[in-house]
Amino acid sequence: MAPQPYLMIYVKPDKCDFCGACVGVCPEDAIELKEAEINIIEERCTNCRKCVWACPWEVIEFHREGITELPKILEALNDPVPF
Amino acid sequence: MQLTYDIIVVGGGPSGSTAARYAAAAGAKVLILEKDRDIGYPVRCGEAVSHSGLIQFIEPDTRWIASTVTKFKMFAPNGNFINPKLDDWGYVLERRIFDYELAKLAVKEGAKVVTKAYVYDLLRENSTVVGVRALIKDVKTEIRAKIIIGADGVESRVGKWAGIDTTCHIRDMESCAQMMLSGITIEPETLEFYLGDEVAPEGYLWIFPKGKNSANVGIGISVEKAKKKAAIRYLEEFVAKRFSNAAMLTHIAGGVPAAKTLPKLVAHNVMLVGDAAHQVNPLSGGGIITGMIGGMLAGQTAAEALQKNDLQFLKEYEKRWQKRLGWRHELFYNIKNSSSMLNDETLNKICNKVSQLPVEKQTLGAIFRTALWNEPSVLLDIAKVFIS
């Protein structure tokens, strides 16, 4: 699978247990896991979602709209003005 | 620190320490690099082992044994259970201390250990692997060795860097969550297993006692099934029903490669052991003893190859593993994947037959015979696997 135009995989900060289940199923070697740090390597990730399914704690999310916009979206949701 | 060794072991879990121990005992200069700052922590494990498996490597010691278990209770999907007698007994470990002891055994044989040492690549010269690149306490360091042993767990990348595809298929990866619960009522000498699509699809839920009123309560389900609902959801539902008043002392996540062993365990001078090599028993998900056996075989073979000055000899490790456990794991894997054997209906049927027997006759043999009459020998195979 070719790399996708933008990254859609988002690891929720501060919630990851660094267990490595996601790394074990990643076919692209696109996840870097240190003692207490996890990074998705954007150039390799194909957004296949296997890591999302493997995560036992629902820490990894798939966002079709891409994750570059995500911090902005989350911030917007923090202080919603519904009407 | 010294920067040249015969063997570098990446990962300081049971497989890595055991590989280092046996290689060092045979005269090799060995270095263990552990990415975390502690050997043995964080624990990501159900912590159950059999006595017969353990004593191949270390004498049982109360300092790292939380519970001795003599009974085995398996709940069928419909809630009926069987309680077969066991020939062997087992232990629920304190991995935190156990892993230390295994590392000490390696050190006693002359191995060196460095923690907070994150290996981020192999070191190459003219396309030959001559060592590793590591962040040692956050400083980039090149360490050289003739042989690299990847004991870097389910998240292994050493194999990938050496050209071995270690990716676990999502059907075979068990997505696991576990809570250490305290203040609960359990049977202190019994390992409990719960099967069935509702509780734990394509996996099982376990209760492994740790002392009188505490237990590891955990679950593993296949990633294929976890697409719809994550492991932690199943576990939370079970715990809410069964242990609503429990105190949760720790909670952990994990991945268990419940697959056949990788067909390739050696790539030139790089070897894989333990979870990195998929040496977990694919039916039980148990990987402590099996990984230590893999580690021992790899460590011994590596030391022999060095003595012979022949790296081709490392391939012998693949044959030794296959002969010792690989062939069994293939069989267990096929059992696991035979859906007719592991469906709810069959499990209920077998469990029902056996539970009608008088208690004293509820032995593994009885389960075997019942299972044979009912077609698949699944329950026996499962029971055998869990306790051997």
Side-chain angles (χ1 to χ4, degrees), chain B residues 239-316:
Chain B
V239 169
K241 263 190 241 166
R242 168 83 188 261
F243 300 117
S244 54
N245 290 319
M248 183 174 70
L249 301 192
T250 62
H251 59 84
I252 52 170
V256 175
K260 273 193 275 198
T261 311
L262 294 173
K264 192 172 164 174
L265 301 177
V266 179
H268 190 55
N269 57 346
V270 177
M271 311 167 86
L272 295 179
V273 299
D275 283 12
H278 300 185
Q279 286 174 334
V280 173
N281 179 324
L283 197 48
S284 73
I288 303 173
I289 302 299
T290 59
M292 289 170 73
I293 291 171
M296 176 184 71
L297 298 176
Q300 288 169 338
T301 312
E304 280 176 65
L306 290 170
Q307 280 157 11
K308 291 177 197 288
N309 200 15
D310 176 16
L311 290 175
Q312 297 288 335
F313 187 76
L314 294 179
K315 275 276 169 196
E316 196 64 25

Side-chain angles (χ1 to χ4, degrees), chain B residues 117-361:
Chain B
Y118 172 67
V119 174
Y120 63 90
D121 204 357
L122 295 171
L123 181 66
R124 291 171 198 273
E125 260 171 24
N126 307 321
S127 76
T128 305
V129 175
V130 295
V132 300
R133 293 174 193 275
L135 282 174
I136 308 244
K137 304 189 169 57
D138 298 323
V139 178
K140 281 190 177 175
T141 314
E142 292 182 354
I143 313 169
R144 304 173 81 89
K146 297 179 190 116
I147 297 169
I148 314 297
I149 299 181
D152 49 339
V154 64
E155 69 265 40
S156 176
R157 296 177 73 200
V158 168
K160 286 182 184 173
W161 296 329
I164 301 174
D165 184 8
T166 57
T167 310
C168 188
H169 194 281
I170 59 166
R171 192 182 54 232
D172 296 333
M173 180 68 88
E174 293 285 307
S175 183
C176 303
Q178 178 175 277
M179 301 173 180
M180 216 288 263
L181 299 181
S182 196
I184 56 176
T185 307
I186 47 153
E187 296 175 43
E189 288 190 10
T190 304
L191 295 177
E192 291 185 30
F193 300 89
Y194 293 78
L195 302 171
D197 282 343
E198 207 184 313
V199 189
E202 293 181 6
Y204 64 88
L205 188 144
W206 63 86
I207 301 176
F208 294 168
K210 292 193 83 172
K212 275 185 184 157
N213 298 307
S214 305
N216 285 336
V217 181
I219 191 175
I221 60 174
S222 84
V223 170
E224 191 64 52
K225 292 291 176 185
K227 279 181 186 177
K228 287 197 182 131
K229 186 169 153 188
I232 184 63
R233 298 282 168 210
Y234 286 94
L235 182 61
E236 280 171 350
E237 281 173 18
F238 181 87
V239 169
K241 263 190 241 166
R242 168 83 188 261
F243 300 117
S244 54
N245 290 319
M248 183 174 70
L249 301 192
T250 62
H251 59 84
I252 52 170
V256 175
K260 273 193 275 198
T261 311
L262 294 173
K264 192 172 164 174
L265 301 177
V266 179
H268 190 55
N269 57 346
V270 177
M271 311 167 86
L272 295 179
V273 299
D275 283 12
H278 300 185
Q279 286 174 334
V280 173
N281 179 324
L283 197 48
S284 73
I288 303 173
I289 302 299
T290 59
M292 289 170 73
I293 291 171
M296 176 184 71
L297 298 176
Q300 288 169 338
T301 312
E304 280 176 65
L306 290 170
Q307 280 157 11
K308 291 177 197 288
N309 200 15
D310 176 16
L311 290 175
Q312 297 288 335
F313 187 76
L314 294 179
K315 275 276 169 196
E316 196 64 25
Y317 162 54
E318 289 175 354
K319 289 183 204 149
R320 290 175 179 181
W321 167 262
Q322 183 62 20
K323 200 174 158 200
R324 180 78 184 265
L325 279 181
W327 68 276
R328 284 192 197 194
H329 286 192
E330 277 173 23
L331 201 74
F332 296 154
Y333 181 78
N334 293 338
I335 293 169
K336 185 186 86 157
N337 276 3
S338 160
S339 57
S340 67
M341 285 188 176
L342 280 180
N343 66 29
D344 282 8
E345 196 190 338
T346 312
L347 290 167
N348 285 337
K349 209 156 75 181
I350 297 168
C351 181
N352 188 37
K353 290 260 180 191
V354 174
S355 61
Q356 286 166 10
L357 295 170
V359 181
E360 67 275 11
K361 287 192 177 163

Side-chain angles (χ1 to χ4, degrees), chain A residues 17 24 26 29 35 54 57-58, chain B residues 37 157 160 168 175 233 253:
Chain A
D17 194 34
C26 176
D29 190 24
E35 184 185 17
W57 289 93
E58 299 179 321
Chain B
R37 66 196 77 190
R157 296 177 73 200
K160 286 182 184 173
C168 188
S175 183
R233 298 282 168 210

